[in-house]
Amino acid sequence: MTRKQRRMTIIGGSLAVLALAAALVLNALRDSIVFFSTPTMVAEKHVGPGKRFRLGGLVQPGSLQRGDNLAVTFEVADGNAKLPVAYKGILPDLFREGQGVVAEGALDANGVFKADTVLAKHDETYMPKDVADALKKQGHWKDDYDGKASGGSKPAATTAQGNPQGAVR
């Protein structure tokens, strides 16, 4: 074997090993690439107890129940399915019934999602594209979402004293 053939063999073998490693990493991360799963996706995938994931959807009106020592239970729904969530801690200021939420945690043996982190959406006009598409498919889309997101006017920025920025005294 000449030097050129040996070099090409080493380069080809290295590329094959690199391609195999990349394929294994991408295969392992395939289910984790989604930012969050909806209750319908959890039911379809038959997620087992103990597997960590993010759950996203709308907090069902009338489902919020507060318990002792900051314990809270509520239901997250996406229009087709509901999933009960249990959380112990301080909820975000923007958390309320009928609003979007993303919770991070795992299912327990009873099918209750035990969350260790709860995130509330920050604005009534913000909605991730996949959630908006899912709501459109299910017929829960409100026409005013488009108007607020694209043509809505933003209020003027104010200083800490409540005066508009750039205002002359």
Side-chain angles (χ1 to χ4, degrees):
M1 204 185 279
T2 65
R3 289 177 94 183
K4 187 175 183 179
Q5 289 174 333
R6 273 188 294 204
R7 190 178 315 137
M8 294 306 279
T9 304
I10 290 172
I11 290 172
S14 298
L15 287 175
V17 168
L18 184 62
L20 179 66
L24 289 174
V25 167
L26 290 175
N27 188 37
L29 295 176
R30 181 178 39 190
D31 290 335
S32 300
I33 291 175
V34 176
F35 180 69
F36 62 82
S37 299
T38 63
T40 301
M41 292 167 66
V42 172
E44 288 173 355
K45 290 183 181 179
H46 303 292
V47 176
K51 183 178 180 192
R52 290 190 56 81
F53 63 97
R54 288 183 175 165
L55 175 68
L58 299 175
V59 178
Q60 282 295 103
S63 67
L64 180 63
Q65 296 178 351
R66 298 183 186 273
D68 295 336
N69 298 327
L70 300 175
V72 178
T73 59
F74 55 93
E75 287 184 345
V76 173
D78 62 358
N80 291 332
K82 297 178 189 175
L83 193 62
V85 177
Y87 175 68
K88 187 171 184 176
I90 299 173
L91 291 169
D93 290 338
L94 296 176
F95 181 89
R96 65 183 60 92
E97 294 177 347
Q99 295 289 323
V101 68
V102 175
E104 189 172 344
L107 286 173
D108 67 3
N110 298 327
V112 176
F113 186 80
K114 298 288 186 179
D116 51 35
T117 305
V118 174
L119 306 170
K121 71 178 187 173
H122 70 282
D123 185 16
E124 73 275 358
T125 59
Y126 170 76
M127 187 169 300
K129 183 177 179 346
D130 51 349
V131 173
D133 292 342
L135 288 173
K136 284 179 185 178
K137 269 196 249 180
Q138 297 165 5
H140 296 290
W141 183 255
K142 296 179 185 172
D143 289 332
D144 60 52
Y145 287 149
D146 284 327
K148 287 182 182 178
S150 60
S153 63
K154 291 184 178 180
T158 57
T159 62
Q161 292 82 19
N163 299 326
Q165 287 182 344
V168 180
R169 288 185 183 208

